[in-house]
């Protein structure tokens, strides 16, 4: 559709923002917010819906990076948009490609901060692991991100922007939806606790799921939380994505140390929220992540306790061999221990895939993400002391 109507005078009389860096990005605004932004620019009300659809399709179906590309908008309108907005995405600072094909992106966002996103290609899917915060307020003792202070929450645009950057890099825009997707799955398992930034995560995921755009199914999005109990049900209701719980221990005593949010929300309370998670069924199971730490949480007794605790919850258990980072106070469980643990869980009827560490050579594996630019919160020694190891 071409914008035949001449640009209304009102377009030209609104004040222009002179500093180009002050232009806000349209990425991350939902349709209503986009409408409001265009209305403020003076776009006639009766055109709003059409204009929003046009912009949406350029941004989220074709991956346009500038208004110039939007050839079905009039030149004047494009110029007006460009004076007031950008289609900003996080900027790739470095891209590392692992021997196994995993790609780790170090991304710069507003304020000069950096976050990481990791793309993991597999035979039947491609998973993008994205961040929700710069740093984390929580201090799980086995997690590299936990050593980094929280700098700030990411905006919805910065969260969905990570998906867009990966699609740029993989040249995936505008491909026939029937084609095999390169970014077919999203996991919110990068830096930060997504349920301490629920609204922005929700807004970003609703954009990623929108059928007129990136169009990812809610079942292909998994949100991992360390256990922010009061937000779990809301995430299920408002996002509807799959849920993963960073469980990691089978007694409150051990979980209090490994995942300190447990001091506030105990295992019982967390499991009740899981039982109440909307749409829970055998085809939509909760994933329990369990990091295998040598002599800390990897005994047969732990495995038996684990299956007992989650009994009745449609679940799968994802065993994650601990990924060390410089100064980390734990060791990875031996392989025969991991296998023995997996067997007990399997025998109890739960799928328990062991997560193959991916991208280890580029520090892209679970829990290794951390932006080198941000100040350390704690020294390795302090973490070790607190962990009692
Ligand atoms: N903050 C959220 C999401 C990010 S962490 C959460 O905690 O769930 C993604 C997963 O990696 C979590 O299950 C986390 O516990 C796990 N993880 C963290 N550090 C790890 C490490 N060093 N080795 C293996 N897994 C780790
Ligand atoms: Fe934060 Fe998750 Fe790491 Fe815990 S495991 S410190 S919640 S990122």
């Amino acid at each position: 559709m071409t914008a035949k109507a001449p640009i209304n005078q009102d377009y030209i009389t609104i004040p222009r923002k002179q500093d180009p860096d002050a232009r806000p990005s349209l990425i991350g605004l939902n349709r209503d917010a986009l409408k409001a932004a265009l209305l403020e620019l003076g776009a006639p009300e009766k055109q709003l819906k059409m204009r929003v659809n046009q912009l949406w399709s350029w941004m989220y179906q074709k991956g346009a990076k500038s208004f110039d590309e939007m050839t079905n908008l009039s030149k004047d309108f494009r110029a007006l948009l460009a004076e007031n907005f950008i289609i900003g995405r996080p900027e790739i600072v470095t891209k590392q490609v692992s021997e196994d094909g995993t790609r780790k992106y170090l991304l710069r966002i507003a304020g000069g901060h950096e976050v990481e996103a990791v793309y993991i290609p597999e035979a039947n899917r491609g998973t993008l692991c994205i961040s929700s915060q710069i740093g984390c307020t929580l201090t799980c003792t086995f997690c590299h991100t936990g050593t980094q202070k929280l700098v700030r929450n990411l905006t919805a645009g910065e969260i969905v922007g990570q998906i867009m950057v990966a699609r740029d890099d993989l040249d995936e825009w505008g491909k026939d939806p029937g084609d095999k997707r390169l970014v077919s799955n999203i996991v919110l398992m990068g830096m930060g606790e997504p349920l301490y930034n629920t609204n922005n995560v929700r807004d970003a995921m609703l954009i990623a799921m929108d059928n007129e755009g990136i169009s990812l199914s809610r079942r292909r999005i998994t949100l991992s939380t360390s256990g922010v109990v009061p937000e779990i049900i809301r995430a299920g209701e408002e996002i509807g994505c799959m849920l993963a719980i960073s469980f990691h221990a089978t007694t409150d005593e051990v979980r209090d140390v490994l995942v300190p949010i447990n001091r506030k929300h105990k295992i019982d309370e967390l499991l009740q929220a899981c039982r109440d998670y909307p749409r829970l069924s055998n085809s939509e199971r909760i994933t329990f992540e369990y990091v295998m730490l040598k002599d800390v949480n990897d005994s047969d007794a732990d495995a038996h306790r684990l299956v007992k605790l989650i009994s009745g919850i449609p679940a799968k258990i994802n065993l994650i061999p601990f990924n060390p980072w410089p100064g980390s106070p734990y060791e990875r469980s031996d392989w025969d221990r991991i296998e023995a643990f997996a067997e007990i869980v399997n025998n109890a009827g739960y799928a328990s895939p062991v997560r193959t560490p991916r991208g280890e050579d580029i520090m892209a594996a679970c829990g290794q993400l951390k932006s080198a630019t941000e100040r350390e919160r704690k020294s390795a020694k302090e973490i070790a002391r607190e962990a009692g190891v």
Side-chain angles (χ1 to χ4, degrees), residues 136 140 142-144 188-190 192-194 224-226 246 248 289 291 320-325 355 366-368:
C136 190
C140 304
F142 53 87
C143 174
H144 203 194
L188 282 145
M189 294 186 186
E193 169 47 63
S224 174
T225 179
S226 57
S246 290
H248 307 318
E289 298 161 283
V291 62
I320 316 174
F322 171 62
N323 294 309
W325 33 273
R355 194 183 288 175
C366 298
Q368 293 184 316

Side-chain angles (χ1 to χ4, degrees), residues 344-366:
I344 294 172
V345 174
N346 268 318
N347 288 344
Y350 293 98
S352 59
V354 177
R355 194 183 288 175
T356 319
R358 297 287 305 258
E360 274 186 297
D361 53 331
I362 54 168
M363 285 285 288
C366 298

